[in-house]
Amino acid sequence: MMDTLLDVEDLWVRFPSRQGVFDAVRGVSFTLGRERLGIVGESGSGKSMTGRAILRLIRPPGIVEAKQIALNGDNLMEKSEKDMRAVRGQKISMVMQDPKFSLNPVMTIGAQIIEAYRQHNRTNHADAYAKAVEMLQAVSIRDADRVMRAYPHEMSGGMGQRVMIAMMLIPNPQILIADEPTSALDVSVQRQVLDIMDGLVKERGMGLIFISHDLNLVADFCDRVLIMYAGRIVEVCEASKLSQAKHPYTRGLLNALPRLDAPRDHLEVLQRDPAWSTAPSVSGRVA
Amino acid sequence: MALADNNGGAQGRAPLPKWLTGTVKTLGSIAVTMLGLVFITFIIGRVMPIDPVLAIVGERATKASYDAVYLQLGLDKPLIVQFFYYVRDVAQGNFGMSLLNARPVAEDIARVFPATLELASLGVIFGVVLGVPLGVVAAVRKGSWIDQVARVLALVGYSMPIFWLGLMGLLVFYGMLGWVGGPGRVGIFYEDVVPTVTGMLLVDSIIDGNWTVFKDAFSHIILPASLLGYYSLAYISRMTRSFMLEQLSAEYITTARVKGMSEWDVVWKHAFRNIRVQLITVIALSYAGLLEGSVLTEIIFSWPGIGSYITTALLAADMNAVLGGTVVVGLIFILLNIASDLLYKVFDPRAR
């Protein structure tokens, strides 16, 4: 049995509005070991909210409720904001979609990486600098010294995302949440970025939560997949057995994908059943 | 063949350093803008239905004295020639004589402008020192009581006429409480006590080491300066708030939070750094607005600044003084614009 890093039980994310309370995530439960867990779903299915709720980054008026979000048995829901700051970055980190927006445009790459490192490590500037260069090299950036002095707008998308990965992994966290990390990238560099991320996560024995809307990518890349619909998990399966998924939503998504090896004249259109959004959430917990 | 030769020549020349071409370009644009400004003000001054000769000699002058002055002013020459004479004089810092007091306009401006500069600078310092933090806090604590207070403060600042606030301020703080000095730059006993160096009384009294005059001048400037400061605070704090709200919802702010940074660092090290360029524009604009001379404030507080100078000159048809004042105000606008352009490049790597 693999050891459990993260145990999320009955997670709700709510947004009160004038029309009543909107539930973005409805009673989601899952565990994460030293594995690659994919969360798939369409826009608005609550997958990104789940990722941010784990880091307690949902801003007011949003409300996060959960029986527990336990990191190594330590319930994050009970932590103060100050204690949470020690968790963010150092224990759990997150890579976001588009490096164009997720890097501060007026700070050099170097300053931003060093800042991430020194937030959790008391070292002098020279050590932090050396560490940052080492980390940039680990994400296959040649000429790291030049990149350290560069600004985000001087980077290509793929390079920016590698910088982002370096920045998020430099405090050596146990869990990385990757929220659509390759959606903003060219197809040609997606694979390269994924491989770099995968290599580092494996090498460090980390747990990875990979949030994506791309079924093929997740099936290829992850060990286990949660399929979310309308704030709930509708199906949990091994990534390798995704093609044998049973839930009509998952089947519908799979059937809506064009396939090179089995061309069809017409792609099926997903028929939604209102019952899916009221059925209870399937647990993704591994006991 | 000629083309090829030209190419060869261009390649053979060493490229000029970037700072040099940049400076030349900037100076060139100042010159062109200034020339345009002088041209427009000059034309407006000449087409106005005001007879500058009559303004000098008065209505009962004889034909002979009228003609003498007419020739002396060069009004017999074509307009374009007059313009070239005017530009030549302005380039040498000569704006002609004031018709009102028969003194060089340049001297008058050198006397009144420092008074406005002093008042406007103190006012904008108030506005920035209080307005920027207020705007930042209002954005960070959006919807809280402090945001509401900031909103009401700004609303009052936008909608309250300055002459009313000025008079009330004088009534309460000078008339009733006696906390501040009254109208004017300094008490009558202290006038011309310290030697004029910069023309700004606060600075001159510090240079002279005369603290009595400094205190008196300060007690006179504090009320009009805080009043002007309040108006720029209203504007600056509102703009700061909306700039900050925009940045705080940006994705790199989430990145900073994911790193485990404190809210203080997230706000000041990340979000605030990104609004500096926009803030500079806003501050430069409100500073320029104050430097034009706020006529109402200067009149209420009997402040001998450039605003009341130009107004008085305009009412007396003293066109040389009006043109001179306008050119100086225009020059200040241009210089402030260039200064803010330079600051953009310091604060935003994308503008380099």
Side-chain angles (χ1 to χ4, degrees), chain B residues 49-299:
Chain B
I50 288 170
D51 189 338
V53 182
L54 270 189
I56 296 175
V57 297
E59 286 180 19
R60 295 187 197 165
T62 60
K63 179 85 171 83
S65 54
Y66 182 94
D67 288 345
V69 173
Y70 187 80
L71 286 179
Q72 196 195 334
L73 291 178
L75 293 174
D76 55 326
K77 304 213 170 57
L79 204 56
I80 192 75
V81 176
Q82 290 181 38
F83 176 64
F84 277 119
Y85 283 143
Y86 187 68
V87 169
R88 189 194 58 196
D89 289 347
V90 167
Q92 292 164 354
N94 176 11
F95 293 106
M97 297 301 235
S98 164
L99 305 184
L100 265 185
N101 55 15
R103 293 202 312 178
V105 170
E107 261 178 38
D108 278 350
I109 290 176
R111 182 169 44 77
V112 295
F113 182 67
T116 296
L117 181 65
E118 191 172 36
L119 187 61
S121 305
L122 208 59
V124 89
I125 289 171
F126 267 125
V128 172
V129 167
L130 298 176
V132 170
L134 188 67
V136 170
V137 173
V140 172
R141 305 244 173 284
K142 189 185 164 201
S144 69
W145 65 269
I146 203 158
D147 187 20
Q148 306 296 349
V149 168
R151 186 202 311 274
V152 172
L153 268 179
L155 191 67
V156 172
Y158 277 135
S159 44
M160 200 80 84
I162 198 163
F163 58 84
W164 188 84
L165 261 189
L167 287 175
M168 288 303 126
L170 274 178
L171 180 70
V172 174
F173 295 107
Y174 172 61
M176 290 160 72
L177 297 171
W179 288 355
V180 300
R185 295 182 74 184
V186 70
I188 192 146
F189 306 113
Y190 299 117
E191 260 175 40
D192 298 322
V193 170
V194 292
T196 303
V197 183
T198 61
M200 290 179 280
L201 260 179
L202 289 180
V203 179
D204 286 351
S205 56
I206 289 174
I207 292 174
D208 195 45
N210 193 331
W211 296 107
T212 324
V213 172
F214 180 82
K215 263 188 225 156
D216 190 69
F218 188 77
S219 83
H220 277 82
I221 202 175
I222 189 78
L223 190 57
S226 2
L227 212 59
L228 290 180
Y230 176 47
Y231 281 82
S232 50
L233 175 149
Y235 178 52
I236 291 173
S237 70
R238 283 284 92 179
M239 296 309 275
T240 307
R241 178 180 183 273
S242 74
F243 295 154
M244 276 305 276
L245 281 179
E246 191 189 328
Q247 295 301 327
L248 284 172
S249 63
E251 195 75 336
Y252 70 83
I253 292 298
T254 310
T255 306
R257 292 200 176 111
V258 170
K259 285 179 185 174
M261 299 183 77
S262 65
E263 249 342 86
W264 176 271
D265 284 352
V266 168
V267 168
W268 291 102
K269 286 193 182 161
H270 282 268
F272 188 72
R273 274 194 197 189
N274 277 279
I275 70 163
R276 288 178 306 188
V277 165
Q278 289 163 297
L279 262 191
I280 286 165
T281 315
V282 166
I283 292 169
L285 272 179
S286 58
Y287 192 32
L290 293 184
L291 279 178
E292 260 177 87
S294 20
V295 178
L296 286 173
T297 317
E298 291 186 352
I299 288 173

